[in-house]
Each structure stands twice: as C-alpha cells, then as structure tokens.
Amino acid sequence: MDLVDIATEEPRAGEVMLRMKYVGFCGSDLSTYLGRNPMVKMPVVPGHEVGAVIEKVGEGVPESLKEGMVVTVNPYTNCGKCASCRNGRVNACQHNETLGVQRWGAMRETLCLPWEKVIPAGQLTPRECALVEPMSVGFHAVNRAQVTDIDVVMVIGCGMVGMGAIVRAALRGATVIAADIDDEKLALARQMGATYTVNSRTDDVHARLQEMTGGFGPDVVIEAVGSAPTYQMAVNEVAFTGRVVCIGYAKTEVSFQTKYFVQKELDIRGSRNAQPSDFRAVIRYMERKTCPVDQLISNEATPEKAAEAMQQWAENPGKVFRILVSF
C-alpha cells in the first residue's frame, strides 16, 4: 500500500464531484491487501464506504443535489442487460464493478461519479455516512430472508455487516440471536438489538439454540462470516422449513449433509451487496442517533497512516470493526 499523487478529475455532464471526508476500509480491502481477493483488479485505489460532501455538480444533474450537501455513495455498477438487471435486482448484476475492487475506489481527495450513485444522507455527519454501506449489506440480507416479527433470527458473525443484520431484524420485531467468538462484539450486539448471544468458541451452540427456541431452532440463520464451519452451522441449526441467507464468501470448499436441504425443506439464499432502499433504511435508522457509532469505529487514520493501520488490522483482524481514513 502506497500514497501517490493522481490527477484530479472534473465532473462531466451528469456527474457529481465529491470531496471525501471519511472512507472506510472493509474486509474486502483487507483481503486485497493480503493478496487473497480473487475479484480485485490490481493495481487499485481501495475504498467504497464513503462519507463525503458535494464539491461540484456537472450539467444535467438534478437540482436536489447541491454543493455542500453531505452524501454517501452506492458503490456498485449495473449493466442493465443481464438476468439480474432484467429482474430488477441490480445489486446482483452479473457484470457489477464495485468501487475499490474492480475499479478505482474512493480513497482519494475527490471522486467524480454519476449523480444516480450519490445518496443524500439527511441529518448524518460524513463520519456516520462511512458506516452506511456495510450496514446496508446486512439490512439487505434481512430483506432477502423476509424476516417478520414472529421469527427467531440467528446472525453468525458480529462484524459490521452482521451488526447491520442484527439491527434490521430487531427493527422488524424479530427475536435476534447473535453468534460470534468474541465476547466484546457479542456485548455490542446486545446494544444493537440482539436478545440473546452465543459464543461459538466456548458455548455448546446446539444446546443453547435449542434452549432459546423451545427446541425448534432459529427460523432464519444469516451467515455473515464466510467460513466452512459457520456455513455448516447455519444449515445444521436452522429450524425445519427455515431460511438460510449467505453473505460471507467461504475461502475453501464447504461440505454439507445435503439431507438437511431436503428433510428440512430449506430455503437457502444468497445475499449480495444492497439495494438503494437498503441504503435509505440505514440512513433512517442512523438518523435516530441510537447507533453506537464510536464503538463501531475501531481506528481513524490519516492517508499517511493508512498503510500502518491496515497492517495492524492484518495482525489482529478479530478486534476490528471499521477503520476510517480521514481526509
């Protein structure tokens, strides 16, 4: 990771120039840094979790987007032609290019984007805006699971995305069980809306879940880790006729007892990125000012210290929620 000078772009017709205030590092950025991200196109400017202010607007931009407005960004592209786009699920576009992964991202002083990708942030600060995108991914998973107030929802993994899932499931009135291997994260999960917590390293997970659910198991399990054991846990522990929603990318092949797919008549669903409606829902939640923002931000670094912060994260990944780079 290096700090370099690049040319400043001017907004073209239909574009908005953003001046970055805060940009978050996410798990995909860490994977890129460690050389483990199969989707990245190198070399790349990282960053797609954005808190910014509109600097300039190009011709043809709606009057609702004004200079000085605090905004965040929808960092995904969609082709408009693939099966996903045809079905209105543009978040899962076959040819998606995410900022900081397949194309240069937001870790720079200014960035020009099509106005459609700029999301007004209401009463949020730029610092709060940098948390919107990762939480929206968790919000989207709850939407995919069709969670209602009669569901018991287990969220495996209490990182930023998992916390988003916990929040939205709780907002929908569900009973939420948070599972992680870190007691500090589990304590924060309770603040975010979890009713119960399970430490999957030290607890008998199956026994605890049976106790919490009256012997049924969770109606919904959301996998937000991306490992073989947690994928297997999701299928093994979900209730009969339950729903399993997968967010995490497992780094290795995963073996399943496929009899559970049939015996339980499971719905197993993927969840990718987020829809514009998920961004709006996160902004609305964060405008309540009940989100423990300071506890979700593990470190703030200047661009000059960004590489050092990333190295510290690589050395101790379990203790980090979000690192923000402050411009």
Side-chain angles (χ1 to χ4, degrees):
M1 184 175 286
D2 221 344
L3 191 63
V4 300
D5 289 323
I6 58 175
T8 299
E9 300 173 344
E10 288 294 318
R12 295 174 292 187
E15 289 187 339
V16 173
M17 176 192 275
L18 305 182
R19 181 159 294 278
M20 295 302 133
K21 297 298 182 181
Y22 292 90
V23 182
F25 278 129
C26 84
S28 66
D29 296 319
L30 179 61
S31 294
T32 298
Y33 177 73
L34 296 172
R36 300 173 186 168
N37 188 344
M39 295 181 291
V40 72
K41 292 182 180 179
M42 298 288 277
V44 70
V45 175
H48 56 258
E49 303 175 356
V50 173
V53 173
I54 294 178
E55 178 94 346
K56 297 180 183 178
V57 295
E59 293 182 14
V61 172
E63 292 183 2
S64 58
L65 296 176
K66 302 181 185 298
E67 293 180 9
M69 182 179 286
V70 176
V71 297
T72 189
V73 165
N74 181 334
Y76 324 119
T77 64
N78 59 283
C79 69
K81 300 175 182 178
C82 70
S84 301
C85 291
R86 182 178 63 183
N87 292 329
R89 288 160 64 177
V90 295
N91 58 291
C93 174
Q94 183 178 349
H95 306 292
N96 167 66
E97 293 185 345
T98 298
L99 284 173
V101 185
Q102 293 92 354
R103 58 193 173 119
W104 280 18
M107 287 281 179
R108 40 179 152 165
E109 290 173 304
T110 62
L111 174 66
C112 293
L113 288 172
W115 70 263
E116 295 92 342
K117 297 299 181 183
V118 176
I119 302 173
Q123 302 304 310
L124 301 192
T125 66
R127 186 167 176 262
E128 291 169 330
C129 285
L131 304 180
V132 170
E133 190 275 343
M135 292 194 74
S136 73
V137 176
F139 270 48
H140 182 66
V142 171
N143 203 40
R144 289 282 291 142
Q146 297 176 298
V147 170
T148 73
D149 58 347
I150 64 171
D151 288 319
V152 176
V153 179
M154 178 186 185
V155 178
I156 306 175
C158 294
M160 275 295 299
V161 171
M163 289 297 188
I166 289 166
V167 168
R168 193 170 212 189
L171 288 173
R172 291 191 174 191
T175 300
V176 183
I177 303 169
D180 200 279
I181 60 174
D182 187 290
D183 285 332
E184 291 180 21
K185 289 186 176 181
L186 290 172
L188 186 54
R190 284 186 177 270
Q191 288 188 49
M192 304 288 280
T195 305
Y196 303 105
T197 57
V198 179
N199 187 316
S200 54
R201 176 176 284 166
T202 59
D203 292 334
D204 182 332
V205 174
H206 179 73
R208 290 287 311 281
L209 291 176
Q210 291 295 295
E211 176 186 338
M212 294 170 185
T213 63
F216 291 109
D219 304 288
V220 173
V221 178
I222 296 174
E223 200 287 337
V225 175
S227 72
T230 51
Y231 262 81
Q232 291 161 344
M233 182 192 299
V235 170
N236 293 345
E237 299 299 342
V238 72
F240 273 64
T241 67
R243 290 99 74 198
V244 175
V245 176
C246 307
I247 311 175
Y249 283 90
K251 307 301 186 293
T252 60
E253 291 186 2
V254 184
S255 298
F256 291 104
Q257 290 286 348
T258 55
K259 67 178 182 181
Y260 290 144
F261 295 13
V262 178
Q263 283 182 344
K264 294 185 177 183
E265 198 174 55
L266 298 181
D267 290 338
I268 300 177
R269 306 173 185 179
S271 182
R272 183 181 179 192
N273 299 332
Q275 293 269 22
S277 59
D278 300 308
F279 283 84
R280 293 197 303 271
V282 173
I283 290 169
R284 185 174 182 179
Y285 156 67
M286 293 191 73
E287 283 183 324
R288 300 180 178 188
K289 304 299 182 182
T290 59
C291 179
V293 170
D294 290 338
Q295 291 174 261
L296 294 174
I297 298 171
S298 306
N299 189 13
E300 290 185 32
T302 63
E304 291 78 10
K305 295 288 186 179
E308 181 181 324
M310 183 63 82
Q311 183 58 36
Q312 291 172 354
W313 190 10
E315 292 169 0
N316 193 10
K319 290 295 183 181
V320 172
F321 280 107
R322 269 302 173 274
I323 296 171
L324 299 189
V325 176
S326 170
F327 288 86

